[in-house]
Amino acid sequence: VVLLAKTERVYQNTRNAFATEVKRKFYWAIVNGSFDKENVWTHHFRASGIKGSKQKVSDEAVELSTPGTMAVMRVAENNGKSLL
C-alpha cells in the first residue's frame, strides 16, 4: 500500500486508523507452473526506520511485532500457469 497525503495530519490519521479499518486483504497471483504448496503461513512484522516506514519481518514473534497470516491456495490452473 502506498499512501500519499497532502499534510502530515492526514497521513497520521490514515496510518493510525488503517489497522482498525482494514480487516482482511486479498491478493491474487499468477505463477508459472503447477503450484502444490497450499498452506497457511504466519510472519511477524515490526516497524523500523523513520516514522516506521520500513518493516522487519521474522518467522518468530519478537518484541513489538504484529503477526500477519497468509493462506495460500490454488484457485485454478491452465496452460502451465496457476492462479493463487
Side-chain angles (χ1 to χ4, degrees):
V1 174
V2 175
L3 174 61
L4 301 174
K6 285 189 171 191
T7 67
E8 182 71 20
R9 185 175 59 83
V10 170
Y11 169 80
Q12 286 299 334
N13 289 345
T14 304
R15 182 178 163 84
N16 293 339
F18 191 80
T20 57
E21 297 297 323
V22 177
K23 301 298 181 196
R24 294 177 71 181
K25 298 176 193 171
F26 293 90
Y27 299 92
W28 297 89
I30 297 175
V31 297
N32 283 321
S34 180
F35 184 85
D36 62 354
K37 295 183 167 90
E38 294 184 351
N39 207 338
V40 175
W41 287 278
T42 299
H43 290 98
H44 300 272
F45 300 87
R46 184 175 50 125
S48 67
I50 298 171
K51 299 180 188 175
S53 61
K54 297 180 182 179
Q55 294 289 317
K56 292 190 177 186
V57 182
S58 173
D59 289 336
E60 303 294 326
V62 294
E63 185 178 355
L64 301 176
S65 67
T66 302
T69 301
M70 175 177 65
V72 177
M73 66 180 208
R74 182 175 60 193
V75 177
E77 186 174 337
N78 190 14
N79 295 328
K81 304 224 185 294
S82 296
L83 175 62
L84 311 179

